[in-house]
């Protein structure tokens, strides 16, 4: 499997812009980007959607190299997120412990393959309502624009804060998204899609990351007053078609509920994402390998109490 955007040079630059130290490691059949993170009661090496490896042997080589780095950096544990569906026993036999007490990168996602499909076939794979909105949204009095001006991310942030407040959910601080936009638009890897009424009023916005042949649907929100216009649907449909036109090979809709879990909090937007076609994938999830076992147990206790 190809590396995810979170294993790209653009993401490395963003992490460095946040003040974090980032390492690029590689060997026969494997490679990974590893971030040194320091938080409450822990110091860790974290591989977001990594390492990337070919087989069991190359996985073991990757972990050996990461362990050396972890010891050099005096961290409490190593955290990995293999973007494949590894058996739990395979990881437990190597000393890893499943992370199930906090949300990290999604374990389940929906990916649209853009290869060997025409633009017409791609649109035809959307649900009928999505096709209609994509083709006719301009008749509802709004248009879609694509921006790489980092200041425009404030439109999305405002919508996201209102959504978070309305649904009593937490989100990153606004400054995080602004730093992200400033860093990633410099490399051309962040695109900000905005739906505006004819008078220029923004009614929805979404951020996409481009890299490694992939477009990632990262963040999105809309003004609840205009929900009947379905601008979020038009934004995503347009971004998917644009990815095809740009020669990208896949769109990662980035996070869905597990199949069959009808009580999952993501069930609503999972149904929305699946209405654009594609295929569901399940990954191994996040796993920790303790280095300093006493400090690691203290950290896990703290996280569970939270």
């Amino acid at each position: 499997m190809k590396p995810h955007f979170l294993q790209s040079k653009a993401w490395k630059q963003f992490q460095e812009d946040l003040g974090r130290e980032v390492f690029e490691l590689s060997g026969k059949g494997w490679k990974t980007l590893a971030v040194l993170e320091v938080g409450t009661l822990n110091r860790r090496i974290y591989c977001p959607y990594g390492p990337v490896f070919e087989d069991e042997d190359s996985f073991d080589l990757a972990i050996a190299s990461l362990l050396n780095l972890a010891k050099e950096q005096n961290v409490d544990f190593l955290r990995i997120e293999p973007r494949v569906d590894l058996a739990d026993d395979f990881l437990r036999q190597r000393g890893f412990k499943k992370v199930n007490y906090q949300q990290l990168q999604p374990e389940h996602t929906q990916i649209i393959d853009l290869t060997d499909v025409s633009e017409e076939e791609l649109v035809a794979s959307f649900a009928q309502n999505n096709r209609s909105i994509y083709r006719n949204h301009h008749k509802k009095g709004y248009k879609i624009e694509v921006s790489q001006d980092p200041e425009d991310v404030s439109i999305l942030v405002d919508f996201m804060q209102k959504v978070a407040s309305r649904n009593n959910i937490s989100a990153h601080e606004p400054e995080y998204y602004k730093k992200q936009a400033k860093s990633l638009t410099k490399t051309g890897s962040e695109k900000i899609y905005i739906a505006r009424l004819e008078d220029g009023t923004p009614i929805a916005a979404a951020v996409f990351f481009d890299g490694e042949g992939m477009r990632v649907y990262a963040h999105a929100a809309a003004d609840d007053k205009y929900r009947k216009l379905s601008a979020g649907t038009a934004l995503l449909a347009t971004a998917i078609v644009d990815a095809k036109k740009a020669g990208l090979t896949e769109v990662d809709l980035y996070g869905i509920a597990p199949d069959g879990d009808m009580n999952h909090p993501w069930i609503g937007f999972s149904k929305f994402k699946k209405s654009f076609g594609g295929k569901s994938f399940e990954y191994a999830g996040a796993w920790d390998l303790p280095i300093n076992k006493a400090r690691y147990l203290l950290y896990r206790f703290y996280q569970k109490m939270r």
Side-chain angles (χ1 to χ4, degrees):
M1 181 172 285
K2 69 175 68 174
H4 194 269
F5 180 78
L6 299 186
Q7 285 284 308
S8 68
K9 291 187 180 297
W11 193 253
K12 175 178 183 289
Q13 182 61 59
F14 169 51
Q15 295 300 304
E16 291 174 339
D17 289 346
L18 290 176
R20 295 170 178 163
E21 191 169 2
V22 186
F23 306 88
E24 288 185 278
L25 308 176
S26 62
K28 185 178 179 181
W30 68 273
K31 62 180 179 179
T32 193
L33 182 152
V35 184
L36 176 61
E37 296 185 337
V38 180
T40 303
L41 296 179
N42 81 101
R43 179 180 169 90
R44 65 189 177 220
I45 291 291
Y46 171 45
C47 302
Y49 276 155
V52 180
F53 57 94
E54 294 179 352
D55 51 32
E56 291 185 10
D57 290 340
S58 56
F59 174 82
D60 288 335
L61 290 172
I63 298 307
S65 183
L66 283 164
L67 270 175
N68 288 334
L69 173 65
K71 292 172 182 176
E72 288 172 4
Q73 297 300 317
N74 192 31
V75 301
D76 303 316
F77 61 96
L78 164 67
R79 175 167 290 170
I80 64 170
E81 290 176 331
R83 198 165 157 257
V84 292
D85 187 14
L86 286 175
D88 287 3
D89 286 347
F90 174 84
L91 292 162
R92 290 196 174 98
Q93 288 169 4
R94 288 157 173 78
F96 283 93
K97 298 181 181 298
K98 177 73 172 177
V99 180
N100 52 18
Y101 50 85
Q102 65 183 129
Q103 178 60 44
L104 297 165
Q105 309 309 327
E107 291 185 31
H108 301 81
T109 195
Q110 188 82 358
I111 293 179
I112 301 171
D113 187 351
L114 303 177
T115 61
D116 300 324
V117 61
S118 68
E119 183 180 324
E120 293 74 19
E121 290 169 331
L122 179 62
V123 174
S125 70
F126 299 167
Q128 182 177 355
N129 188 56
N130 294 0
R131 293 198 301 271
S132 177
I133 291 169
Y134 168 67
R135 290 168 175 155
N136 301 301
H137 67 269
H138 60 283
K139 297 178 182 178
K140 295 185 177 183
Y142 66 91
K143 62 180 180 179
I144 294 172
E145 63 183 48
V146 184
S147 171
Q148 287 188 278
D149 181 350
E151 296 299 320
D152 282 337
V153 82
S154 295
I155 297 169
L156 173 65
V157 170
D158 288 344
F159 291 149
M160 291 176 71
Q161 288 183 300
K162 291 175 182 176
V163 171
S165 176
R166 189 165 61 244
N167 295 295
N168 194 28
I169 58 176
S170 60
H172 287 293
E173 291 297 319
E175 195 59 30
Y176 174 85
Y177 298 105
K178 292 174 183 178
K179 287 182 178 179
Q180 187 179 81
K182 186 175 181 181
S183 177
L184 296 180
T185 54
K186 283 191 303 186
T187 61
S189 54
E190 178 167 320
K191 308 289 193 306
I192 306 166
Y193 277 67
I194 305 166
R196 294 184 187 271
L197 298 178
E198 292 176 352
D199 65 3
T201 301
I203 60 173
V207 161
F208 296 84
F209 302 148
D210 288 356
E212 304 287 348
M214 173 191 301
R215 171 160 289 182
V216 179
Y217 184 38
H219 315 294
D223 190 329
D224 196 51
K225 291 187 299 183
Y226 299 98
R227 61 184 179 276
K228 291 184 179 179
L229 295 179
S230 302
T233 298
L235 281 179
L236 180 52
T238 301
I240 292 169
V241 174
D242 285 354
K244 172 65 180 178
K245 292 177 178 177
L248 300 177
T249 58
E250 64 185 50
V251 176
D252 183 357
L253 298 182
Y254 196 59
I256 59 171
D259 287 341
D261 187 351
M262 302 308 295
N263 296 316
H264 196 281
W266 292 359
I267 196 68
F269 65 75
S270 298
K271 182 179 179 181
F272 169 71
K273 291 178 178 181
K274 289 183 175 183
S275 69
F276 290 89
K279 182 179 178 182
S280 299
F281 287 85
E282 179 178 358
Y283 304 147
W287 291 78
D288 292 344
L289 184 61
I291 308 296
N292 185 322
K293 294 184 179 180
R295 286 187 59 84
Y296 179 71
L297 287 173
L298 179 63
Y299 166 73
R300 287 199 69 149
F301 175 75
Y302 167 74
Q303 289 293 333
K304 288 178 181 178
M305 291 301 292
R306 288 183 65 195

